[in-house]
Amino acid sequence: MEFQEGRQDLARRGLPEIDAATVDGFLRAVDGAGAIAVLLSAGDPKRFPEAIDVAVVLPELIDAFQGRLRGAVIARAAEAELGQRFGVRVQPTLIFVAKGETLGLIAKIQDWSVYIDRITKLIDRPRGQSAAVAATIIPQHRGQGVEL
């Protein structure tokens, strides 16, 4: 599957593409609905082939959390600017945001159980305990002596 096809599939699933001009409106709408925003910063799928896998998993994660998550895809041209805003250091990354606070980041493709566990912890933790500390989740096999 080409990533462009993946983007089209995400659009069919109701996931909008956002950029620096539209991200705050999207985040306000998600907050107003009482949900958590999950933004996909995919990167170049030719450089980061895992982007395709994460794009496939994102709608499934949204479904699994039964209305608690609302997703969007960051436009390629806005990835650098929004990545800096949200603390993205690795692509692809899922960014979780609520009420102006970055709750956390999950980088690369993960096992389903890791997603469920980490997302549950991110969205259920009390808000405001530590100002915008984002936990980046990187596969364990990658974190051992490998610079990313």
Side-chain angles (χ1 to χ4, degrees):
M1 171 199 289
E2 291 296 316
F3 190 70
Q4 188 58 35
E5 292 173 17
R7 279 191 187 274
Q8 291 168 353
D9 185 52
L10 292 172
R12 282 193 296 273
R13 297 284 304 263
L15 300 181
E17 186 172 81
I18 59 171
D19 58 24
T22 59
V23 66
D24 290 321
F26 175 78
L27 295 175
R28 278 191 300 277
V30 172
D31 288 341
I36 306 290
V38 56
L39 311 175
L40 171 59
S41 180
D44 179 0
K46 291 181 179 164
R47 187 169 170 214
F48 307 109
E50 288 177 279
I52 297 166
D53 298 328
V54 177
V56 169
V57 169
L58 178 56
E60 300 303 322
L61 290 170
I62 291 168
D63 289 346
F65 282 89
Q66 304 174 351
R68 294 182 72 193
L69 300 175
R70 301 272 170 97
V73 178
I74 296 175
R76 285 279 297 132
E79 285 177 339
E81 181 179 352
L82 294 179
Q84 185 173 31
R85 174 178 169 180
F86 295 112
V88 174
R89 297 185 326 203
V90 176
Q91 288 182 315
T93 292
L94 296 176
I95 307 158
F96 296 84
V97 182
K99 300 188 185 331
E101 178 185 0
T102 302
L103 304 177
L105 311 170
I106 301 177
K108 302 290 187 180
I109 191 70
Q110 303 289 323
D111 290 333
W112 184 257
S113 61
V114 171
Y115 278 123
I116 298 302
D117 179 60
R118 301 298 186 197
I119 294 169
T120 299
K121 287 176 181 172
L122 287 174
I123 66 178
D124 287 343
R125 76 171 177 82
R127 303 288 180 260
Q129 284 186 337
S130 56
V133 173
T136 301
I137 311 304
I138 300 174
Q140 289 179 356
H141 66 278
R142 294 231 150 163
Q144 298 173 351
V146 178
E147 282 294 318
L148 297 177

